[in-house]
Amino acid sequence: MSNPNKAYLSLESQLNKFIDKYYTLAALKGFLLTSLFSIGLIGIVIFLENIYHFSSMGRSILFFGSLSLLAFAFVKSVLLPFLRFCGVLNRLGYKEAAQLIYKEIPEIKDQLINTIELENKTINSDGGLLDASISQKANKVLKYDLVSAFSLKEHKKYLFGFLVVLLLAFGFSLKYTSLVV
């Protein structure tokens, strides 16, 4: 392999790591939000049941309606990102990943997208000048840490909200044990 290919392969490796991290964080965010949603939904169902004392048909509608909402939320926000992470479903392309990175690291400008487009052009042609340009652009982009464009710090608010709601739910279940049992 020539030297320009090594630079682009290193860039591809960074992009693949970024895409993996993107889907991991998306699944984590989905899990936290789905958990918050489920705790809130359970609280609403218990509240409605205590006020209206539904018949068995009403309870069935509440149960299966809640279950379908939770299943939909889980599939959309947890399962789909996980399956994309595993490669079962289509993953982000390099161009889409480059656009996400550009939003987080504006200093890159359009260098990353240009490098990807140039590499796609070299598949059809055999040019040393094009390879040198790809190598130069890839080395410029590799100066940035692409993997850290998305971090867990952005998801701390979801984790904090989840813990607060979980503690509140636990506190209510201890205080109102007679209603739960």
Side-chain angles (χ1 to χ4, degrees):
M1 266 185 221
S2 63
N3 203 11
N5 289 339
K6 287 181 183 178
Y8 187 75
L9 287 176
S10 179
L11 182 62
E12 273 187 341
S13 172
Q14 288 289 318
L15 285 171
N16 284 327
K17 287 178 185 176
F18 169 79
I19 292 169
D20 287 344
K21 186 174 183 180
Y22 174 78
Y23 284 125
T24 302
L25 290 176
L28 176 65
K29 178 182 174 184
F31 174 75
L32 292 174
L33 289 176
T34 302
S35 299
L36 282 171
F37 179 66
S38 66
I39 291 171
L41 191 62
I42 289 169
I44 289 170
V45 167
I46 291 172
F47 177 74
L48 289 174
E49 173 58 29
N50 282 331
I51 289 177
Y52 296 111
H53 303 288
F54 293 113
S55 66
S56 61
M57 177 61 110
R59 288 183 189 141
S60 296
I61 291 172
L62 275 176
F63 175 74
F64 288 113
S66 299
L67 191 64
S68 62
L69 281 174
L70 289 176
F72 175 75
F74 179 79
V75 167
K76 182 158 177 52
S77 61
V78 179
L79 191 61
L80 288 179
F82 178 73
L83 291 175
R84 286 190 172 107
F85 172 79
C86 293
V88 175
L89 297 177
N90 290 339
R91 293 169 54 99
L92 281 176
Y94 291 144
K95 282 187 180 180
E96 292 89 5
Q99 291 170 348
L100 288 173
I101 291 170
Y102 172 68
K103 289 178 185 175
E104 297 297 319
I105 308 174
E107 297 87 30
I108 287 183
K109 299 179 183 167
D110 58 350
Q111 294 175 7
L112 184 55
I113 296 172
N114 289 343
T115 306
I116 293 167
E117 289 173 351
L118 282 175
E119 178 61 27
N120 290 339
K121 287 181 182 179
T122 59
I123 294 171
N124 300 331
S125 65
D126 187 31
L129 186 59
L130 209 52
D131 286 342
S133 175
I134 291 169
S135 175
Q136 183 182 18
K137 288 183 181 291
N139 286 328
K140 282 183 184 177
V141 171
L142 285 172
K143 292 178 185 174
Y144 299 99
D145 187 13
L146 304 180
V147 178
S148 68
F150 284 108
S151 67
L152 192 59
K153 292 178 185 176
E154 298 168 0
H155 293 67
K156 281 186 180 178
K157 60 184 174 187
Y158 301 114
L159 183 61
F160 180 72
F162 172 72
L163 291 175
V164 167
V165 170
L166 189 66
L167 286 173
L168 283 172
F170 182 70
F172 280 124
S173 70
L174 288 178
K175 182 170 172 98
Y176 301 107
T177 308
S178 62
L179 294 176
V180 176
V181 176

